[in-house]
Structure formats: structure tokens, C-alpha cells
Amino acid sequence: MNLTVLDWGIVVLVFAFIITVVISSKKLMRSVSDFLAAGRTGGRYLISLSQGTAALGAITIVGMLEMNYIAGFCLRWWEMVMAVVLVTISVSGWVLYRFRQTRALTMAQFFEIRYSRSFRIFAGGLAFLSGIINFGIFPAVSARFFIYFCGLPHSINIFGVPISTFALTMIIILWIPLYFVFSGGQIAVMITDFLQGIFTNAVFIVIIIVLMLKVDWAHVFAAVSAAPANASLINPFKTGSTKDYNFWYFLIGMIGVIYGKLSWQGTQAYNASAKSAHEAKMGDVLMNWRNIPQWGLFLVFVPVVAYSFLHHPDFGGQAASIQPILNGLDSAALRSQLTVPLALTKLLPVGLMGAFAAVMLAASIACHETYLHSWGSIFIQDVVMPIRRKPFPPEQHIKYLKAAIFGVAVFIFFFSLLFQQSEYIFLFFAVTGAIFAGGSGAVIIGGLYWKRGTTAAAWSAMITGSVTAV
């Protein structure tokens, strides 16, 4: 067990606080609109922090630690070059502003308004399929993090029957966000994501300071300078031999930021939750600043420190202690995912271990509750209801939404239990996300900005883009 009593106490305290907030927010949900889009009451500050936390997630943290352990500082260099473009997109309200003006609750609902009902059903089904497959590995990655970071046994005996810790942890990871979503819908999601975001940023900053004191810049520079010449962790122009996470990965991602704005529907409820189009745009602008402690500092600096710890001879004895654990993992993909978390078990002091575990629990809850809400809602709103053609009574409508959300949770549990991941996390995201995002960018941009866009063109763009991307 890697966590002490103090560490577990911090985790329990944070979780108890979040549960208390959810229970107190139950009375705020009074309608289907409240469940789906928080009654469209979100202000810019709430939207910016909540949506950012929802998009982060435990799996995203693990994926970013994995990516930047391989790429070092190089991807960050290219991303800083594109910072002006990202800010311009946010300030201009590109896609987001016009979509919010449509008053649509989902992107596929806008497709019906702009194109046709049958296209809404097709696009909604495609988004749902892409989403639940993409979502399928979330519980597995999160559960493995907690097992190896906390040092949990691989099985426990309950009444003499051995139970897999992996399966049990996934059940807990899914049950908590299910309870949150069922209690207050998007209102509970936004409030808890906001509070978890504040806590996450504070802990990230403390961890950065502690690691800077423990592994000084001389160690970092010596370790990253020793990387192969054509797989540099410093010079972005010398990454020809860097596998996967190189300039081309960045370039494709930047094109996706422009072309695919609002294409990904994992946080779709936030697109409709703002008070107005202006508040939605300002929330997006503020998110660029909110991201700095997470994406700009922690998720770049920490994996580089972990790389230095594992490659600098001064830390050889400590680093060697995690090698048997890595060697015992089944695949290269799992070793890649868990390298940085295992390094952190040797770098973080008592107390901060518990704080980081609490952060990962909060991030896991935030991401799972948002994605469960999104994919379950999309299935009912954009597949079932357009086929049915007749609206549900409000109480029945919420029951069906909850049933769909529960169904999504069951699917991803078994997907995670059975699927053998062999790719990097972000590459899996890219392939599965392309099922919908490959064609939806043209349909969204054309629908919002070009009056001459036709339904036939939307069908052609969606099918051609998705097939080509996949």
C-alpha cells in the first residue's frame, strides 16, 4: 500500500465534501431543461472552470503524462507558437457563438433545424457510436491508475470469494458519477466540476513546487539532453525519430482545433448551458487562462521530471524499485500509461500522495459524469425522440434519460473489462473520435456560416469525412 492513513483521510475528506454538495443540489433540478442543460443558467466563470475540469479527467491526465514523457518539451513549443490562433478562435466565438444562438440543446438537434430529421438521426447515432467506443477505455485506465498508484492488491476476498480489484474499482468509479448525474443532472455536474476544478488547480501548483525542489533543473537538463539526437525532448526541429508524438501529430491536432470546433460531443451539455451566446464565448476565452496550471505547467513539467528521475544516475536506486512492477505488466501500452504515475509514488511526499489521489478521483468523477450525461442524452434526444416523433411527458423523459445513461455505464464497464488496449491513449482517442468528427466539422461550419449548404451536401460530407478519417 503506497498511501498512508493521512493520505486516505485526504481522499475521504474531499469525496465527502463533493457528496455533500451533490445532495444539497438535488432540489435545484426541476425540469428536463435543468437535467439536460442546467436550465441554461451558466455564467462565464462557472462554464470556463467546470467544462475544463470535465474535459480533463483522470484518463486525460494519464494520457498527457504518457504523451509528454515521450515528447518532452517539444510539443509545448509548437503549441505556444499556435497560442495566438487559439486565442483568436476563442475571442471571435468561432462556431460556439452561432451554435448557442440557435438555442439547440444538442448538435444533432441543430442538424435537424438546418438540414433534416433523418440527418439528425444519422448524425446522432454516429456521434453516440463514436462516443461510447471512445468512452469504453475510461474506466479501465482510471482503475489501473488507482490500483498501481495507491498500491492496491489485484484481488480481495469477500466472504471467502476472491474478487478482482480491477473490476471492483471500475464499479466504484462508475457508481459515483451515476449517482451524481441521477441526483441533479447537468446542474449537479456543473457545480461539482467547478469545485473539483478549483481543488485540482491548487494541488497541481503545490506538486509543481515540490517537484522543482526535489529534482532540480540541473538534473532535468542533463537527463533530457541525453535523449537520442533525432528524438530530442528539447529541440522541436530534431524529432524525426520520435514515435507518434511529433510535429505531424501536433499539426493534425491544430487543424482539428479549427475544423472540429464543437465536433466532439463528450461535453455537449456545456455547449447549451450558458446564459447566452456571449457568456458561452467568454467562458471559452477564460478557459485559455484556466488551462495554464494544468495543460501549460503540470502536464508538461511533471512527465519531464519523471523522465529525469528514471534516466538520471543520481536517482538510479529509487528508479530501479519501480522497474519490476513495470516489467510485470502485460503490454507495452500499459507500461507506457503507468510509468509516470509509478515514478510519482517515489517523488511525492506523504500528504501530497493523498492530495494527488484525491485530484485523480475528482477528475475521474468529473469526466465520467459529464460523458455519461452526454452520451445517454444524445441517444435519447437525437436517436429515440426523432424516431418516436412524439415528445415524452417530463417525468417519463427524465426516466428514459437516466435509463440511457445507466446503459452507457454498463456498456463501458464490460468494454473496459474485455478490451485489450494496444495503443497510446490519445491515439485511441484520435481513431475513435474520427468516426464522428471526421465529417462533422464541414457540416457544422457549413451549416452555421453558409446559407447555400444543402442536406445532400451534409450527408456527403459526413459520410465521406468519417470514412476517410477512420
Side-chain angles (χ1 to χ4, degrees), residues 324-405:
I325 303 174
L326 290 172
N327 293 339
L329 294 169
D330 296 336
S331 68
L334 297 184
R335 286 191 289 273
S336 179
Q337 286 176 24
L338 294 168
T339 296
V340 177
L342 285 171
L344 287 176
T345 63
K346 305 299 179 183
L347 288 167
L348 297 179
V350 172
L352 210 49
M353 281 282 291
F356 185 57
V359 161
M360 293 296 283
L361 177 62
S364 178
I365 292 170
C367 191
H368 279 85
E369 66 182 350
T370 303
Y371 276 52
L372 286 167
H373 181 276
S374 293
W375 303 128
S377 299
I378 286 173
F379 179 72
I380 296 298
Q381 297 296 116
D382 297 323
V383 180
V384 175
M385 288 185 66
I387 293 174
R388 188 174 187 269
R389 293 178 177 267
K390 183 180 178 181
F392 293 111
E395 289 187 7
Q396 189 181 23
H397 194 163
I398 292 177
K399 286 181 180 178
Y400 277 114
L401 287 167
K402 289 181 178 180
I405 290 167

Side-chain angles (χ1 to χ4, degrees), residues 239-459:
T239 56
S241 298
T242 299
K243 184 183 177 183
D244 299 314
Y245 296 121
N246 48 37
F247 169 75
W248 299 108
Y249 175 86
F250 158 77
L251 182 62
I252 292 169
M254 284 300 100
I255 293 171
V257 167
I258 301 169
Y259 170 78
K261 183 68 173 178
L262 295 194
S263 284
W264 185 241
Q265 301 300 299
T267 56
Q268 64 87 24
Y270 282 98
N271 301 334
S273 294
K275 292 178 183 178
S276 64
H278 181 69
E279 288 299 297
K281 183 185 81 171
M282 292 308 298
D284 199 40
V285 171
L286 291 169
M287 204 181 304
N288 291 310
W289 294 99
R290 184 211 61 80
N291 281 340
I292 291 174
Q294 296 178 2
W295 300 87
L297 294 175
F298 182 88
L299 296 174
V300 177
F301 181 72
V302 168
V304 171
V305 168
Y307 182 91
S308 306
F309 173 76
L310 294 173
H311 289 81
H312 198 287
D314 285 0
F315 304 104
Q318 290 176 282
S321 63
I322 69 170
Q323 199 58 49
I325 303 174
L326 290 172
N327 293 339
L329 294 169
D330 296 336
S331 68
L334 297 184
R335 286 191 289 273
S336 179
Q337 286 176 24
L338 294 168
T339 296
V340 177
L342 285 171
L344 287 176
T345 63
K346 305 299 179 183
L347 288 167
L348 297 179
V350 172
L352 210 49
M353 281 282 291
F356 185 57
V359 161
M360 293 296 283
L361 177 62
S364 178
I365 292 170
C367 191
H368 279 85
E369 66 182 350
T370 303
Y371 276 52
L372 286 167
H373 181 276
S374 293
W375 303 128
S377 299
I378 286 173
F379 179 72
I380 296 298
Q381 297 296 116
D382 297 323
V383 180
V384 175
M385 288 185 66
I387 293 174
R388 188 174 187 269
R389 293 178 177 267
K390 183 180 178 181
F392 293 111
E395 289 187 7
Q396 189 181 23
H397 194 163
I398 292 177
K399 286 181 180 178
Y400 277 114
L401 287 167
K402 289 181 178 180
I405 290 167
F406 181 77
V408 171
V410 172
F411 173 83
I412 64 171
F413 171 78
F414 285 105
F415 190 98
S416 280
L417 197 63
L418 302 174
F419 181 72
Q420 300 297 316
Q421 187 183 343
S422 60
E423 270 289 5
Y424 294 136
I425 292 170
F426 281 6
L427 297 187
F428 179 85
F429 284 179
V431 174
T432 53
I435 296 172
F436 180 74
S440 61
V443 178
I444 294 168
I445 295 169
L448 291 171
Y449 290 94
W450 198 34
K451 293 181 180 180
R452 295 177 63 186
T454 65
T455 301
W459 279 97

